[in-house]
Amino acid sequence: MQLLTLSNLVLLGASLSSTPVIAAPHRDSPFERLRNGLNLPEKYLTSSKAKSLKAQNPYTPDYRDPLDKAVDSVGDDLDPLPYRNGLGASVLGPWNKERSRTNPDLVRPPSTDHGNMANMRWSFADSHVRIEEGGWTRQTTVRELGTSVELAAVNMRLDKGAIRELHWHKEAEWAYVLEGSVRVTALDYEGGNFIGDTNKGDLWYFPSGVPHSLQGLAPNGSEFLLIFDDGRFSEESTFILTDWLAHTPKSVIAENFHLDPEVFKHLPPSEKYIFQGSGLPGSIEDERPSGKNAKKSKHQFTHKMLDQEPLKTSGGAVRITDSKNFPISKTVAAAHVTIEPGALREMHWHPNADEWSFFLRGRARVTIFAAEGTARTFNYVPGDVGIVPRNMGHFVENIGDEPIEMLEVFKADEFRDFSLFQWMGETPKKLVMDHLFPNDKEAGEKFWNEVKDANKDPVTKFDKQEEGFSGTESSDL
């Protein structure tokens, strides 16, 4: 065995120094530092916003916020981590960064959250898509979202000329047109026919058992949201014309329609469901049945929700459609709500039905109070469904930089809600003071002066500058 001499070691070192070295993965990257709750060094901070975030990043061990203010992790490009007011720790295991960004208040809940609550959020992005000729459909029912017990929903797309074939349901169907135009047809309980065209923001409603059809119009068809008044609904349980005929003896079909069985030789062998039509329909008048006994329906099955004059509030706008202004809609009531950035759908509750919400635009946080010291906060982005069981207190806060546009839908004939603000102003002052401010009369007077006019402001915005609000965070809170 040859011993290594000093000269051998020198030669070996020279040889190694000329060999390229492959560096190990660097573990001190910006992502790794933030993931482990560490601040970023100055070298990574190239903009004033980034430098501000160094001091303001709420997902670090040193950050303190006794007010539990909302954080827009999407808008501020932050990766939520479970740190809150000195508590928590970093994440070492697998981590879905994008999912966490859209649910920051699940990663770091407000300190006011407490207790167990069932899930109240679902995204249509997680729903199975059924793809057909000229369209597709996906649903959110009690099977996808266990708390959606009163209502179920279907998101459907029909291309130009595509038809959702003639069918009916056990449940009533309410719809909101998301984009495009749809031709709808129906037969009412008295045998009258209805044909109508709907556009973005329009509604239709078909009571239980009413047969109907849908067809996408030019130039790009339509996409819409369907609501059914039973959370157990399934799109697969629809009564479909071609499915029925495919499972009925040809002799019976022939007898029913007073024709030779040969006429029905080439009927579709199974349901068509969604299919491409032979072309776009003509005008409503051109298409209207004109047989000797055909008659026009006396009922209006469609409604232009966005054409309603909105209730304008300090922080947005509200349009309510229920049986009062859309008489045929006996089992579904709804509100179209716009919440401006920095505004709040005020603290309230609904006494007559669960709230089924659909978010069309914006980013929101919602805290639901379920009594017994239980509260939980959820976040919502476009395409999300939210549930608030009846009588549970809640709010909807706009945490983003664009307006929230949402639908509040209820299994009810009439929209009803109670405003916490209005309730306080309609309650004797002494009762309010004894409940909330028994040991702080100065604060009690400020509160009473604000609520005493009992103003109901469904979407409210607090002008902090006008009110002289300092934003100082007290350690006593």
Side-chain angles (χ1 to χ4, degrees):
M1 181 182 295
Q2 184 178 0
L3 296 175
L4 287 175
T5 64
L6 179 60
S7 59
N8 294 139
L9 289 172
V10 171
L11 290 172
L12 179 61
S15 174
L16 289 173
S17 67
S18 63
T19 303
V21 177
I22 300 175
H26 187 44
R27 305 300 293 177
D28 191 33
S29 66
F31 173 76
E32 288 297 329
R33 291 187 67 84
L34 288 174
R35 176 184 170 110
N36 289 292
L38 303 174
N39 288 324
L40 291 177
E42 289 290 337
K43 65 180 180 178
Y44 293 125
L45 302 174
T46 57
S47 67
S48 59
K49 182 176 181 181
K51 290 179 181 178
S52 173
L53 288 177
K54 177 187 175 185
Q56 300 290 335
N57 188 343
Y59 303 116
T60 57
D62 297 333
Y63 187 83
R64 299 292 185 273
D65 176 20
L67 299 180
D68 290 312
K69 295 191 295 293
V71 177
D72 180 15
S73 53
V74 173
D76 291 335
D77 195 24
L78 295 171
D79 294 322
L81 290 171
Y83 287 106
R84 186 183 65 221
N85 296 333
L87 304 176
S90 63
V91 177
L92 300 179
W95 191 246
N96 189 325
K97 182 171 64 173
E98 294 305 317
R99 209 65 178 264
S100 300
R101 280 188 177 184
T102 57
N103 294 281
D105 289 286
L106 289 181
V107 177
R108 191 198 67 171
S111 61
T112 48
D113 277 14
H114 183 264
N116 291 320
M117 184 180 292
N119 179 42
M120 301 290 179
R121 176 192 169 276
W122 179 264
S123 173
F124 264 109
D126 294 321
S127 294
H128 171 79
V129 176
R130 174 176 174 174
I131 300 174
E132 298 286 339
E133 180 189 34
W136 53 260
T137 182
R138 54 187 178 176
Q139 61 185 4
T140 297
T141 71
V142 72
R143 290 172 292 279
E144 287 77 23
L145 179 58
T147 48
S148 186
V149 296
E150 292 192 346
L151 297 172
V154 171
N155 178 203
M156 186 174 289
R157 170 82 166 93
L158 295 177
D159 210 348
K160 175 183 176 181
I163 297 171
R164 173 66 171 100
E165 76 160 295
L166 291 157
H167 65 283
W168 73 97
H169 309 283
K170 292 180 292 183
E171 302 81 4
E173 174 181 307
W174 180 97
Y176 179 90
V177 180
L178 299 170
E179 294 290 346
S181 301
V182 189
R183 167 72 56 86
V184 301
T185 72
L187 181 71
D188 67 24
Y189 291 147
E190 293 82 34
N193 68 76
F194 176 87
I195 305 176
D197 290 341
T198 58
N199 301 298
K200 182 176 180 178
D202 291 350
L203 312 178
W204 68 74
Y205 180 90
F206 301 125
S208 171
V210 167
H212 56 281
S213 70
L214 315 169
Q215 184 171 17
L217 301 179
N220 195 33
S222 181
E223 186 173 339
F224 41 87
L225 180 73
L226 302 172
I227 300 292
F228 299 90
D229 58 3
D230 188 338
R232 299 167 298 175
F233 169 84
S234 171
E235 184 69 1
E236 307 301 323
S237 66
T238 301
F239 297 99
I240 296 176
L241 173 63
T242 53
D243 188 30
W244 188 12
L245 295 182
H247 293 88
T248 302
K250 292 289 194 302
S251 61
V252 173
I253 298 174
E255 186 174 352
N256 187 80
F257 290 103
H258 310 157
L259 291 168
D260 191 281
E262 282 294 312
V263 173
F264 305 101
K265 183 177 179 179
H266 300 294
L267 285 179
S270 61
E271 69 174 28
K272 300 185 77 170
Y273 191 73
I274 293 175
F275 65 98
Q276 193 65 47
S278 59
L280 290 174
S283 69
I284 291 176
E285 287 309 312
D286 287 344
E287 295 287 331
R288 191 177 301 284
S290 56
K292 182 171 65 174
N293 294 310
K295 58 183 179 180
K296 184 177 178 181
S297 175
K298 299 176 183 177
H299 302 286
Q300 182 64 35
F301 289 93
T302 60
H303 179 80
K304 294 188 172 298
M305 187 183 208
L306 294 190
D307 284 357
Q308 293 179 210
E309 187 67 27
L311 170 64
K312 295 181 179 179
T313 71
S314 64
V318 179
R319 294 174 174 87
I320 295 172
T321 303
D322 57 19
S323 60
K324 292 178 179 178
N325 54 2
F326 189 22
I328 201 166
S329 187
K330 300 295 186 186
T331 64
V332 178
H336 178 279
V337 181
T338 303
I339 308 171
E340 297 298 330
L344 183 79
R345 173 71 171 96
E346 66 167 343
M347 298 173 74
H348 67 285
W349 68 96
H350 303 280
N352 59 335
D354 294 354
E355 177 180 328
W356 190 102
S357 300
F358 184 69
F359 289 81
L360 301 161
R361 185 163 56 126
R363 299 185 291 279
R365 79 164 174 173
V366 176
T367 296
I368 301 170
F369 169 63
E372 298 181 329
T374 300
R376 183 158 296 184
T377 302
F378 299 88
N379 299 102
Y380 300 90
V381 296
D384 284 356
V385 173
I387 301 293
V388 181
R390 73 177 69 195
N391 287 313
M392 289 192 182
H394 59 287
F395 61 82
V396 182
E397 182 179 11
N398 189 335
I399 65 173
D401 55 4
E402 64 174 330
I404 287 173
E405 185 181 355
M406 63 178 292
L407 295 171
E408 299 179 8
V409 190
F410 307 87
K411 184 178 179 178
D413 65 338
E414 184 178 334
F415 176 94
R416 291 189 186 131
D417 69 346
F418 281 108
S419 159
L420 176 60
F421 193 106
Q422 184 183 40
W423 182 34
M424 293 296 93
E426 297 278 9
T427 301
K429 177 181 178 180
K430 187 176 186 305
L431 265 178
V432 174
M433 296 301 102
D434 286 349
H435 274 77
L436 302 180
F437 302 99
N439 301 315
D440 193 343
K441 295 191 180 301
E442 182 180 353
E445 286 299 322
K446 291 181 179 178
F447 180 83
W448 182 252
N449 287 335
E450 183 65 28
V451 303
K452 65 182 180 181
D453 291 334
N455 177 45
K456 184 175 182 178
D457 191 23
V459 183
T460 190
K461 190 168 185 178
F462 177 32
D463 190 335
K464 299 177 179 64
Q465 292 182 339
E466 184 177 308
E467 297 294 331
F469 180 71
S470 67
T472 302
E473 296 180 358
S474 170
S475 60
D476 296 332
L477 292 176

